[in-house]
Each structure stands twice: as structure tokens, then as C-alpha cells.
Amino acid sequence: MNAHTHFSDWGKTVEPMRGFGRLSAAALNAMTFDPIRFVVPGILPEGLAILAGKPKFGKSFAVMDMAIAVASGGLAFGKIDCEAGDVLYCALEDGERRLQDRLRKLLPAGHCGEVPDRLFIETVAPRLDDGLIDALEAWTETHPAARMIVLDTWVHIKPVTHGRGSPYDEDAQGLRPLHHLSKRHPGLAVVVIHHTRKLEAEDPFDTISGTHGLTGMADTLMVMARQGDTAKLCGQGRDIEGYEKAIERDAFTGGWRILGDASERAKTSERQAILDELREADGTALSPAQIATATGKQRTNVQHLLKRLLSEGLVEKASYGKWKLSDTHSHHSHRSHFSEPAERDCEQSECESERPSPAPAQGKPGKSEQSERHSTPDDLGPGDWVPDYAPDTEPPEMDPWL
């Protein structure tokens, strides 16, 4: 190998090396570099990224929303200002009719209804080992202000495997040409849409389908996943700090919007309703009875939910029988109005016990008598034990998403 050696990415010649092993630490230290450029500030930096999620979770809506925001210089996820640039969206699982419908739904969401003329769409593309890199290079040459290329999905562009190498090597070498492409074009984000596996994991990035050869080659990893009966967008990478954002879908457009940090959101809508009431109290501590009146829930169920929120670190006891938001989680939030029955068929309400209590049987103590034997939520002090359910009702079913 010498200074004139050339390397090839599926037939594409790259620049010759300066000479192997000749860059000294002193020379590196003297260099100056432009700061990392974000295509979607705080979420998607330049370089090669993988966005993964379960099938039909809404990944294509999320990436179309980002593509529209970048192409128009508008808002991504309902709140993030993006610098305008050219975008190529290779929607290889969709036809033009479906893409038109998706585009028309998303345009009103923060984009003023204007169709961006800097967004370009393809529904057919060659594989990586059959001319895709050449096609993408040709597009970037005619669009010098290119900021984003989306390849939806990985299975449609991955090279054909012949079983000659290990799965790790095939994943890494298959994605490598896209990594080199992104390095040759500073400021450009290449986003590959992929799926997560069925098996859950404590680390959401371990659910990305494939080997570490695939995830290790990417500069940025993003995963859309469920969090309780809500959703979150997780991200980590070489050039960004890790994040977990609570997200919700717009009821009218199907697009996604960011609510805030996922760690500051409750896992279920019932708990989130309590957080919203405590947040609206603006620092004033509330009793379970006050929260129950404001939310329309039974007081005993409110106490049960407060116990869950306490274990999550989202609320704390302010004084005798009073509750407030945890000091580290006092923030603004929005309430979700979007649901997908097809994806939520196994979810159950956390408060199925919210129904009128049965009338006391003859000869048995009534509710008023029982309340004298058990501490009510308002009587509980900071160290008192809290029952999970009212003594005169059936225990609520356990939250299936815990």
C-alpha cells in the first residue's frame, strides 16, 4: 500500500490516502474542523443514521415529517426548526398514491400547507451492490445543497448475501458504502429505516434487528418504541448525547410530535392525567381528594396511581396527605389524543376498578364503617403504608406494560 493507493466502494473510487500512518498527534491537534452540523437539531446530526421501530409503528410518518421540515425549512416533530436543504426520500415500500396521501396529511402540521419543491421522491432504487451508491452520488452532484437522504427500508437496499462470511461481516460490509458516502459529503445525513426484533431488551438499541456489525457501522442510532401506553424516541451516537424523548401522534395527520424528555412522562395515560393536574397547580401541593375531583377518578384509584408515580420518581410527598411534582420533573407537557387500536389490542386500563362500589351486603359493615377501620388517602402521612386498592373493591389488574 502506498500514497497512491485507491479504494473502492462497490465500484466508486474514493480519494487516495495521504500515506498510511503518517498523521501525527501534533498535526491532528493543530487541525481545525467545522462543528457538527445537525439536520434536525438535537435529534439527527450529519452522517449515517439508522431509524428503527416495529413494523407499522409510524416510522415512515416520522421520517416524512423530518423530510418535509428540512426541505421547507420548517418544524420537525412539531417544534424543532430545521435549516432548509435538498432532501431525497427513497420510499421503497410505498407507491405514489400512498405517498401523496401521507404528504397531504403531514403538510398542514407546521408547514403552512406549502408543498416543498426541495423534496424529491423515488419509489424504486437499486441495491447497494448493484449501483445505488453511483445513483446517490449522481443526485448529490446535481444537488450541492443536499442535507438528507432517506432509504426506506434496509431490506430493499442491502446487498445480496452469499453465505461466505459471518453475519457480522455481512452486516458491516453491507452498510459500509453508505457510511463512506456520508463522510464524503459533510453536512449530509443518510437515514436508513430498519425494523426492531420481537424480543424486548432493557436497552432499546439492542432491539435493532441484525448484528452489532450493522449498528456499529452507523454514526447515529434512533429507535421508536412503546413506553407504557405512550411512545418514545431514543437516540445515541458518536456525535450526540443520548436522549429519550416522549412522543405522541397527531390525531389528524398521523405525524409525531415531541412532548419532552421521556423520563419526565408517566408510563400510562391515567398517571399522566395526575401529573398534568399537579403541573397545572403550579407548585401547590394537592391531596388525592382534590386530584380525584379534578380528574373525575375515584380517590382510592388516585392514591394507587400516586404510589406508582412515586416509585417512578415523578411525584413526592409535600406534606401530610399532600402531593406535588418531583423537583427534578417540574416541566410543561401536552396531553395525548392519538391511539391506534391495532397496536394497542393487548393494553388495558390501569384503573379498571373505577366503577361504583357494590352496595354493602346485609349484616356487613358499609363503606362508612369500613373507612373508620382503614386510613383514607387524605389521612396518610409520609411514612404510612398505602393499600393498592380500596378495601371494598376488587384489586385493580396489574399494568401489563410495567
Side-chain angles (χ1 to χ4, degrees):
M1 184 182 298
N2 55 52
H4 301 288
T5 301
H6 287 70
F7 294 88
S8 178
D9 284 345
W10 298 114
K12 182 64 182 180
T13 300
V14 299
E15 293 297 321
M17 300 180 67
R18 67 171 60 85
F20 188 74
R22 295 185 181 179
L23 177 62
S24 68
L28 177 63
N29 185 55
M31 292 180 177
T32 57
F33 300 95
D34 293 331
I36 296 295
R37 295 181 63 186
F38 275 83
V39 178
V40 179
I43 299 295
L44 176 64
E46 60 185 341
L48 177 61
I50 293 177
L51 172 60
K54 290 184 177 180
K56 308 301 182 293
F57 194 82
K59 302 182 298 296
S60 295
F61 272 88
V63 77
M64 174 68 92
D65 176 78
M66 287 191 286
I68 293 173
V70 174
S72 63
L75 299 177
F77 296 106
K79 65 189 303 181
I80 304 176
D81 284 309
C82 298
E83 178 185 343
D86 295 340
V87 179
L88 175 62
Y89 181 18
C90 297
L92 307 180
E93 291 188 335
D94 299 303
E96 294 177 356
R97 181 190 299 274
R98 185 182 301 161
L99 286 169
Q100 182 190 71
D101 180 64
R102 189 178 302 155
L103 178 67
R104 288 177 174 177
K105 285 182 177 179
L106 288 171
L107 280 176
H111 306 293
C112 303
E114 298 179 1
V115 180
D117 57 5
R118 303 183 70 174
L119 173 57
F120 302 87
I121 296 173
E122 285 287 350
T123 58
V124 179
R127 290 182 177 272
L128 279 165
D129 55 348
D130 193 31
L132 177 60
I133 294 297
D134 290 335
L136 296 178
E137 285 284 9
W139 184 81
T140 56
E141 288 177 5
T142 57
H143 298 82
R147 296 301 317 280
M148 186 177 182
I149 294 175
V150 179
L151 301 167
D152 187 1
T153 62
W154 169 242
V155 70
H156 288 276
I157 63 167
K158 63 182 296 188
V160 176
T161 59
H162 303 284
R164 298 171 185 169
S166 67
Y168 179 97
D169 290 336
E170 289 179 345
D171 280 347
Q173 296 304 318
L175 197 60
R176 187 182 183 189
L178 288 175
H179 187 236
H180 286 177
L181 172 70
S182 66
K183 290 172 65 178
R184 289 194 294 270
H185 298 277
L188 174 68
V190 179
V191 184
V192 178
I193 309 304
H194 194 29
H195 292 139
T196 52
R197 55 183 170 84
K198 292 183 178 179
L199 186 63
E200 299 293 338
E202 183 177 350
D203 187 341
F205 303 104
D206 287 340
T207 65
I208 298 176
S209 181
T211 69
H212 286 172
L214 192 72
T215 55
M217 186 61 65
D219 298 306
T220 303
L221 300 176
M222 297 182 291
V223 175
M224 298 176 67
R226 189 164 299 287
Q227 176 174 269
D229 62 1
T230 58
K232 63 181 178 179
L233 173 66
C234 308
Q236 71 176 18
R238 299 185 176 102
D239 302 314
I240 62 172
E241 294 185 8
Y243 60 79
E244 286 192 5
K245 301 294 184 181
I247 56 176
E248 70 173 0
R249 296 194 78 171
D250 187 278
F252 302 102
T253 69
W256 294 90
R257 55 177 173 253
I258 290 177
L259 303 177
D261 290 337
S263 61
E264 298 176 347
R265 300 287 298 183
K267 292 183 178 180
T268 67
S269 58
E270 287 87 358
R271 297 182 215 175
Q272 188 59 47
I274 292 177
L275 288 184
D276 290 337
E277 290 302 326
L278 290 173
R279 191 164 296 113
E280 290 176 5
D282 196 22
T284 302
L286 301 178
S287 68
Q290 291 173 307
I291 298 173
T293 300
T295 60
K297 300 179 181 296
Q298 288 188 6
R299 187 174 61 178
T300 50
N301 286 325
V302 168
Q303 186 63 45
H304 167 74
L305 297 173
L306 284 168
K307 180 183 177 183
R308 294 288 183 87
L309 290 168
L310 178 64
S311 67
E312 294 172 12
L314 296 176
V315 300
E316 60 186 40
K317 293 180 179 180
S319 59
Y320 189 82
K322 299 281 187 176
W323 296 79
K324 68 173 185 176
L325 289 177
S326 172
D327 290 337
T328 59
H329 296 289
S330 298
H331 71 292
H332 180 72
S333 75
H334 306 273
R335 300 179 181 178
S336 174
H337 303 283
F338 184 87
S339 63
E340 279 187 298
E343 294 183 358
R344 302 178 62 176
D345 53 357
C346 62
E347 295 182 28
Q348 301 178 23
S349 170
E350 189 174 9
C351 294
E352 289 184 354
S353 60
E354 287 193 21
R355 52 180 178 268
S357 300
Q362 186 174 3
K364 294 183 179 181
K367 185 174 182 179
S368 59
E369 295 176 281
Q370 286 189 350
S371 63
E372 296 177 0
R373 305 178 188 177
H374 300 274
S375 294
T376 62
D378 286 330
D379 297 328
L380 291 173
D384 291 338
W385 174 78
V386 181
D388 282 349
Y389 54 90
D392 57 335
T393 61
E394 298 179 358
E397 295 191 16
M398 292 299 295
D399 185 352
W401 293 100
L402 286 180

